[in-house]
Amino acid sequence: ILTGYYGEHNNKQHGTGKGKGKSIDQLVLQKILMQYREPLVTHISKIAPDALLEPILWISTLFISITSHGTTLRIWDVLFALVASQGTDEGAKWLFSVLIALLDSIQVDLLRVESEAELMYELSYLAAMAKNMDGQTLIEKAHNVFLELDDVSVLQMREYTEREMQIKSTFFDSKGNCDDAQLNLVDETK
């Protein structure tokens, strides 16, 4: 469910190194939000492109770091039931659904922020507020998001995003400049 978040995973199937899964999931979250919460992700990306890394960390702890123990256990109950009955893709989608439900709870406030500092404050506020959030309400909101994301395959999105990252790292430097030598090698193999 959390491929590449912990330990080394350098194999053909996943090809992710330690911690790379968080970067991949940050991009997956942006893609999901772009499709289902476009005004929110557009606004956040203009202010602080990497701001969604903070909420991805909540997934990496399976929400134990921000929700009450009772709510965390309810999130886990649904997670494990989905994984057992429908597979890891549905479990991963559930984690994203919980995260989106949390973001939805302060979406109006997030759309009002004008600076990175305000944005980080709102995300910190959400993390603090989540500890006192009614677990049943959060589960219901997350379930509604889960149903909304019916056609989303998180595992496919992760694989596609990882391939994109590999291609970019092969052909572009950290500043986004194209590595002509690598492109010439590709041209020579045709």
Side-chain angles (χ1 to χ4, degrees):
I1 297 171
L2 298 175
T3 303
Y5 275 65
Y6 307 102
E8 295 295 330
H9 297 281
N10 293 318
N11 60 43
K12 288 182 182 179
Q13 182 181 4
H14 301 296
T16 56
K18 185 177 183 179
K20 191 173 180 183
K22 293 174 193 153
S23 298
I24 291 169
D25 276 357
Q26 178 184 3
L27 295 172
V28 168
L29 176 63
Q30 286 176 329
K31 289 175 183 182
I32 292 171
L33 289 174
M34 186 57 82
Q35 187 172 354
Y36 294 94
R37 304 291 188 277
E38 190 270 332
L40 179 63
V41 75
T42 300
H43 183 70
I44 289 173
S45 296
K46 285 179 188 173
I47 294 171
D50 290 332
L52 292 175
L53 186 55
E54 179 70 24
I56 288 298
L57 297 176
W58 303 339
I59 285 180
S60 73
T61 63
L62 297 175
F63 299 100
I64 198 166
S65 63
I66 66 161
T67 59
S68 69
H69 295 296
T71 300
T72 300
L73 292 175
R74 295 188 71 172
I75 292 169
W76 291 3
D77 285 343
V78 175
L79 172 66
F80 296 134
L82 283 169
V83 169
S85 66
Q86 298 177 31
T88 57
D89 194 32
E90 294 299 293
K93 184 167 47 172
W94 172 249
L95 294 176
F96 278 89
S97 297
V98 173
L99 179 55
I100 293 168
L102 285 166
L103 291 172
D104 282 351
S105 69
I106 63 162
Q107 182 172 352
V108 171
D109 296 323
L110 290 172
L111 289 169
R112 286 186 190 143
V113 299
E114 296 179 9
S115 70
E116 185 172 356
E118 289 177 311
L119 179 60
M120 298 316 288
Y121 172 81
E122 290 298 335
L123 291 174
S124 297
Y125 170 75
L126 175 58
M129 181 187 75
K131 281 281 187 200
N132 299 315
M133 189 177 278
D134 176 56
Q136 181 63 32
T137 302
L138 178 58
I139 296 299
E140 288 172 4
K141 288 180 179 183
H143 180 258
N144 291 336
V145 172
F146 185 82
L147 294 174
E148 184 181 351
L149 302 180
D150 184 48
D151 61 340
V152 171
S153 170
V154 172
L155 298 182
Q156 285 179 349
M157 290 180 79
R158 283 175 174 163
E159 289 172 10
Y160 180 79
T161 301
E162 184 176 5
R163 282 194 300 268
E164 281 182 325
M165 289 173 69
Q166 289 170 345
I167 289 168
K168 286 179 183 175
S169 69
T170 301
F171 295 107
F172 298 94
D173 63 20
S174 62
K175 295 178 182 175
N177 298 318
C178 185
D179 183 347
D180 292 330
Q182 288 292 338
L183 284 176
N184 290 336
L185 287 175
V186 171
D187 288 338
E188 291 172 10
T189 61
K190 289 184 178 181

